[in-house]
Amino acid sequence: MHKRRGCGLPFPLVCDSDVMQLSISVEEEPMICQGLVYNVSPYMEYHPGGEDELMRAAGSDGTDLFDQVHRWVNYESMLKECLVGRMAVKPVAVAKENHEKKPLNGILLKSKLPDLPAKEISPSYDWFQTESLVTIVIYTKQKDVDSESVIVDYQDGCFRAEIVINDYSYLLHTELSHEIQEDITARVAEKTGKVEIILKKKDNVSWKYLGHPLENHNSFTAHREKGLYYRKCKLVSKVDVTHDTKLYCLMLPPDTHLQVPIGQHVYLKLTVAGAEIVKPYTPVLESLHSDLQEPLHPHNKYIYVIIKIYHTGLFTPHFDCLQIGDYVSVSSPEGNFKKSQLQDLEELFLLAAGTGFTPMVKILNYALTNTTSLRKVKLMFFNKTEEDILWKNQLEHLADKDRRFEVEFILSEPTCEWTGKQGRISLPLLSKFVKRSLENSRVLICICGPAPFTEQGIRLLKDLNFSQEEVHSFTA
Ligand code: FAD
Ligand code: NAD
């Protein structure tokens, strides 16, 4: 048990309006923050760091300490019930402890990591509770954190929150001290990079600590170093797209928050005859129809994949044998495409072959919806036969509806009825199709398909004088 220390204030106070001296009894714990004086004793039991941490600021000006640890916390609203008055005089300087590098309630005060560029700052976390809720706050201090950067899981009592920041990720991984309800909320304040994760307590008891740390808890390391994390997802639907390709809908567990960013893939894992088989797949949208843009299923609860079944393949025949209601393990997303590559673009060219169309789905949709500078999007879609073309009707429908979008189908094994273009990727085809309409227009070319297709495409685009920055190829 903590022993409460009483400490009076060595300086006079003013109440907000009246100039009057206040006296605080020795049982109360006054603390100053930005010139405001709080009696923090009622807050003791809610403070995430416990009494000892709060007592470090008691009886003194806690502004510096507060800034070090809680700079992003809105203490004015949180402690408003504890406000006693405002400082009348500047407090006498209080000798400061050297708080550097001392872990506070799981908060690494270490501000820089040795393997990070100097400007990168290590994130930290804090938590607090009310009678029914536990709120975990992660201060990433990064401006480009959005809902896609936050991955939350809760499985078998273990809580895991990963915040992806460029090639790094910050991980909270703990076995919670108490049970929670199946209803986790995650919010991101994009301007400050503050992430709030709200857990609902199962029984309204006060938590003394958040949980027991698990592997890599409170670490900020290269994203890849952590390995892939999987959760079991339920197959909820399976719809034919072509003779050998289907659209599968997978439902995330209720406590998982995960959105697959544009251009990224996940790994699906199945255990077949005691052996684990893992293959990458690029999630798509439910459909390209804009009238279905209000999705039937919210983006952060369902993952859609278009998968071609190869009868002699290692993974796909087993995956296709799954029945509705069966489970498959799905990893966290990976990939090096950045949404920012679509910013300020004027022309977007998509070169896809077979299921290499899958990354183009979200890119196409995002660019047409969000890139205001965009004047033209052209998809060149290579397939063997007409019956292999994925979402042909939807693509034609989109081209009819949106004048910025054009699609061309090129078949390598057409029937004699085919009147469209034929062949494989080649210089004559590309030089006509991938052409800047203005000399200096901002262009991006995305390419995806079988490895020889992609490699040849990259070579040809180089010959056509497109720069490396203007070409993005999707590989494993
Ligand atoms: P495999 O066992 O890999 O076999 C595939 C075919 O090749 C079969 O016909 C097989 O008989 C033949 N084959 C295998 N080995 C040989 C060999 N040595 N010589 C000759 N032939 C051989 N696919 C999708 O359908 N949708 C997607 O969204 C998707 N996204 C992807 C994202 C990424 C980043 C990558 C790298 C790949 C993606 N793929 C996607 C492909 C996918 O990962 C699998 O490769 C594909 O599903 C085949 O898996 P499989 O194990 O069933 O077949
Ligand atoms: P497919 O065998 O049906 O071929 C589709 C077209 O690709 C052909 O019509 C042809 O135009 C072209 N093509 C095939 N082989 C070629 C070669 N050797 N040289 C030049 N062009 C060639 O394609 P599929 O079975 O749908 O396979 C799609 C491929 O795309 C797979 O290899 C898959 O791994 C890959 N893929 C990669 C990603 C990624 O993000 N990296 C995503 C999805 C699919």
Side-chain angles (χ1 to χ4, degrees):
M1 272 300 287
H2 298 290
K3 195 165 170 285
R4 286 234 165 128
R5 291 159 286 178
C7 36
L9 279 178
F11 27 75
L13 304 168
V14 286
C15 264
D16 257 2
S17 49
D18 324 84
V19 179
M20 63 182 258
Q21 187 140 340
L22 291 179
S23 70
I24 293 191
S25 85
V26 285
E27 284 78 37
E28 293 167 337
E29 310 292 8
M31 182 196 91
I32 302 159
C33 209
Q34 305 283 9
L36 298 171
V37 183
Y38 298 93
N39 167 24
V40 290
S41 35
Y43 182 62
M44 287 285 177
E45 70 174 298
Y46 295 106
H47 187 251
E51 254 178 59
D52 278 351
E53 278 311 328
L54 199 56
M55 284 305 294
R56 292 170 60 192
S60 64
D61 188 338
T63 311
D64 284 353
L65 186 55
F66 193 97
D67 276 351
Q68 244 175 13
V69 183
H70 296 297
R71 189 144 36 100
W72 313 84
V73 173
N74 183 354
Y75 66 91
E76 283 165 278
S77 113
M78 224 160 72
L79 290 177
K80 67 175 186 293
E81 302 299 328
C82 307
L83 183 66
V84 181
R86 195 189 302 139
M87 283 279 305
V89 291
K90 234 175 146 7
V92 283
V94 189
K96 276 189 230 155
E97 281 177 56
N98 179 10
H99 301 300
E100 283 288 306
K101 298 191 175 153
K102 184 172 175 203
L104 268 179
N105 178 35
I107 298 160
L108 252 74
L109 282 182
K110 198 166 65 158
S111 63
K112 281 168 192 159
L113 289 179
D115 54 344
L116 286 176
K119 62 180 174 39
E120 302 262 14
I121 298 169
S122 162
S124 59
Y125 82 99
D126 204 346
W127 68 282
F128 56 90
Q129 60 185 311
T130 62
E131 203 184 341
S132 55
L133 305 174
V134 168
T135 302
I136 299 169
V137 189
I138 299 163
Y139 311 102
T140 69
K141 300 157 207 156
Q142 302 286 323
K143 290 218 165 72
D144 48 3
V145 170
D146 59 17
S147 57
E148 285 180 351
S149 324
V150 180
I151 305 168
V152 179
D153 287 281
Y154 176 66
Q155 299 190 79
D156 307 323
C158 298
F159 172 84
R160 196 181 183 281
E162 189 171 357
I163 319 294
V164 182
I165 303 165
N166 301 321
D167 294 334
Y168 292 85
S169 75
Y170 178 67
L171 183 70
L172 289 188
H173 193 199
T174 181
E175 187 180 348
L176 293 179
S177 62
H178 290 73
E179 277 188 72
I180 56 167
Q181 297 180 31
E182 271 191 357
D183 185 8
I184 298 180
T185 312
R187 287 199 293 249
V188 183
E190 291 187 18
K191 281 192 186 142
T192 57
K194 181 170 108 175
V195 178
E196 271 186 322
I197 301 166
I198 300 159
L199 317 177
K200 284 191 180 151
K201 293 181 180 176
K202 215 164 202 172
D203 33 25
N204 292 351
V205 296
S206 173
W207 293 20
K208 293 272 181 284
Y209 61 101
L210 185 63
H212 296 289
L214 297 170
E215 198 187 356
N216 292 324
H217 174 64
N218 194 27
S219 65
F220 187 46
T221 52
H223 188 34
R224 275 185 173 263
E225 266 176 39
K226 295 196 174 77
L228 285 172
Y229 182 79
Y230 288 86
R231 69 283 297 152
K232 285 211 159 80
C233 295
K234 195 199 265 188
L235 176 66
V236 293
S237 68
K238 191 174 7 175
V239 179
D240 284 346
V241 176
T242 66
H243 60 104
D244 59 2
T245 305
K246 292 177 189 161
L247 175 71
Y248 301 84
C249 177
L250 303 170
M251 186 171 69
L252 292 162
D255 282 326
T256 295
H257 282 252
L258 186 161
Q259 274 173 267
V260 182
I262 293 163
Q264 296 204 7
H265 52 270
V266 294
Y267 290 84
L268 301 188
K269 181 167 78 178
L270 282 179
T271 305
V272 180
E276 282 185 346
I277 312 176
V278 177
K279 290 277 161 119
Y281 295 94
T282 313
V284 295
L285 301 170
E286 192 180 350
S287 154
L288 280 177
H289 290 317
S290 61
D291 27 319
L292 279 179
Q293 254 171 13
E294 227 9 84
L296 205 58
H297 297 133
H299 301 305
N300 55 355
K301 290 285 158 210
Y302 295 87
I303 289 179
Y304 289 90
V305 279
I306 288 182
I307 296 184
K308 180 187 268 197
I309 310 302
Y310 299 88
H311 293 297
T312 49
L314 211 56
F315 181 86
T316 48
H318 300 286
F319 181 72
D320 195 42
C321 281
L322 293 183
Q323 301 296 309
I324 304 301
D326 285 349
Y327 287 84
V328 58
S329 294
V330 179
S331 78
S332 298
E334 237 188 26
N336 54 12
F337 186 84
K338 302 257 177 323
K339 223 166 20 188
S340 57
Q341 289 173 254
L342 297 169
Q343 239 168 34
D344 305 326
L345 266 194
E346 289 167 298
E347 297 177 66
L348 175 62
F349 297 98
L350 308 172
L351 308 178
T355 55
F357 169 62
T358 52
M360 310 306 176
V361 172
K362 284 190 185 180
I363 290 178
L364 181 59
N365 181 272
Y366 181 88
L368 287 174
T369 319
N370 296 285
T371 310
T372 48
S373 49
L374 198 70
R375 282 186 281 109
K376 188 159 75 183
V377 185
K378 284 170 94 176
L379 168 67
M380 204 174 205
F381 196 0
F382 296 82
N383 284 280
K384 286 184 187 145
T385 68
E386 193 172 359
E387 60 165 11
D388 291 324
I389 303 175
L390 306 174
W391 284 358
K392 182 169 186 280
N393 289 341
Q394 290 194 40
L395 287 165
E396 285 168 341
H397 179 72
L398 185 62
D400 283 345
K401 260 186 52 188
D402 194 322
R403 284 176 38 202
R404 295 170 299 168
F405 178 62
E406 250 177 63
V407 58
E408 187 132 35
F409 303 110
I410 299 101
L411 301 184
S412 57
E413 297 170 22
T415 58
C416 45
E417 283 97 60
W418 178 251
T419 54
K421 287 216 160 51
Q422 342 192 336
R424 283 188 169 190
I425 194 163
S426 65
L427 199 60
L429 271 177
L430 285 196
S431 58
K432 272 202 209 119
F433 188 80
V434 189
K435 234 198 222 157
R436 295 172 200 274
S437 44
L438 293 170
E439 203 185 324
N440 292 318
S441 55
R442 287 183 297 276
V443 166
L444 180 71
I445 307 159
C446 296
I447 179 159
C448 188
F453 165 88
T454 307
E455 286 155 17
Q456 201 178 342
I458 294 171
R459 278 196 301 273
L460 295 172
L461 291 167
K462 199 171 166 217
D463 293 346
L464 289 170
N465 290 325
F466 288 99
S467 68
Q468 263 186 13
E469 293 70 44
E470 287 174 322
V471 179
H472 185 96
S473 61
F474 290 87
T475 47

